[in-house]
Amino acid sequence: MIPDAWDIELREGAIGVARHLIETGCVRYDPDHLCRHGSGLVSPVHLEGRRLFSYPAVRDEVLDFALRMIEQEIGDGELDAIAAAEGAGVPWAALIADRMELPLVFVRKEAPEGQQDYKHRIEGRVEPGWRMLLVEQIAADGHRKARFAQPLKEAGCDVRDLFVLFQYGIFDEIQEHLAPLGITMHALATWWDVLEVANRGHYLDRKAQGEIHAFLHDPKRWTAEHQGSRKSEKAA
């Protein structure tokens, strides 16, 4: 099948984002301090996407690609508001909402102590029937996304789409978590894109490339072989 123009643009954009992540120091290979995920898996690579904000030209280029993806995959004029999931995705959500001239709301991870109503997890104006784009920085296995979408749905909002700067691209479970919610993921880049760029540009030595390859191809096995043998840091 011959790829269409968007498929080509999407591939070039993903490689461009991956290159920026590497060159700005967002990607860190540290086999002595493993990255620990909420799912229980560990990996030898860390992603610290907030570093991109320190590079205005790069930040604007990535944001332009994000807006282009939203236009192509969701559609102009389809959204009523942007929802920022509490955490590292808030700056991206704010920039997207500003560029699209849409309302911005915040969704808490948890309700304040003593409050259980969904309204206490949402900060900002929402209206029943609004189509919302949920924004986060990273998606691993998707287990946290349902928690953020839930209060929006309980408020009567239409949440069909999740946008992330980076998706791991290795966890089948992500579809299990998002499919029942009717949510489609839109991600600018994955670890496979980062690895391709790293291999092209010789950013990593052979040993590092081998470790990352082993993790990406079988993260559960890699975790079983390495968990507990080294220090770990919680993923952002």
Side-chain angles (χ1 to χ4, degrees):
M1 179 181 292
I2 299 175
D4 62 21
W6 172 239
D7 288 334
I8 295 171
E9 185 178 345
L10 188 63
R11 184 66 191 138
E12 292 176 348
I15 293 299
V17 170
R19 186 181 69 254
H20 288 318
L21 290 171
I22 292 173
E23 293 181 348
T24 57
C26 294
V27 175
R28 176 165 57 92
Y29 172 72
D30 189 347
D32 295 321
H33 297 84
L34 303 179
C35 181
R36 175 170 50 90
H37 304 284
S39 61
L41 296 174
V42 296
S43 72
V45 279
H46 302 248
L47 185 89
E48 299 163 353
R50 281 170 285 202
R51 286 182 61 90
L52 279 180
F53 294 111
S54 297
Y55 301 86
V58 171
R59 181 184 66 211
D60 287 346
E61 184 177 325
V62 172
L63 183 59
D64 286 342
F65 181 41
L67 294 169
R68 179 72 173 142
M69 177 177 285
I70 293 168
E71 173 191 359
Q72 285 291 314
E73 299 186 355
I74 300 175
D76 283 337
E78 294 295 322
L79 297 171
D80 297 297
I82 304 298
E86 180 182 352
V90 170
W92 291 109
L95 288 170
I96 290 170
D98 183 64
R99 285 279 199 99
M100 297 185 73
E101 299 183 342
L102 290 174
L104 174 67
V105 301
F106 299 87
V107 184
R108 294 173 176 266
K109 294 178 182 178
E110 305 289 346
E113 187 176 354
Q115 303 290 345
Q116 299 300 323
D117 192 282
Y118 71 86
K119 295 177 182 178
H120 293 98
R121 291 186 56 201
I122 301 173
E123 296 184 9
R125 175 191 168 210
V126 296
E127 298 289 343
W130 269 9
R131 184 168 177 185
M132 311 281 283
L133 174 63
L134 181 61
V135 176
E136 274 214 83
Q137 178 179 261
I138 300 175
D141 61 3
H143 76 284
R144 294 175 58 217
K145 314 311 171 192
R147 192 169 74 219
F148 284 116
Q150 179 186 3
L152 295 171
K153 287 179 174 288
E154 290 179 1
C157 297
D158 180 4
V159 186
R160 305 182 210 171
D161 301 279
L162 165 68
F163 171 83
V164 295
L165 170 71
F166 192 84
Q167 178 191 355
Y168 270 60
I170 56 176
F171 299 112
D172 293 336
E173 293 92 338
I174 197 164
Q175 296 305 326
E176 296 175 11
H177 287 114
L178 297 181
L181 298 172
I183 295 177
T184 299
M185 171 123 59
H186 309 272
L188 297 187
T190 71
W191 275 123
W192 299 108
D193 301 318
V194 168
L195 189 59
E196 180 176 336
V197 172
N199 290 342
R200 286 183 189 179
H202 306 291
Y203 292 96
L204 299 170
D205 60 33
R206 184 170 297 179
K207 180 180 179 181
Q209 290 181 22
E211 284 280 280
I212 296 173
H213 266 289
F215 167 72
L216 293 179
H217 281 93
D218 196 341
K220 292 181 180 179
R221 179 177 179 179
W222 199 93
T223 293
E225 293 175 347
H226 296 83
Q227 192 171 33
S229 62
R230 305 166 192 177
K231 294 180 180 178
S232 63
E233 301 172 6
K234 189 174 181 180

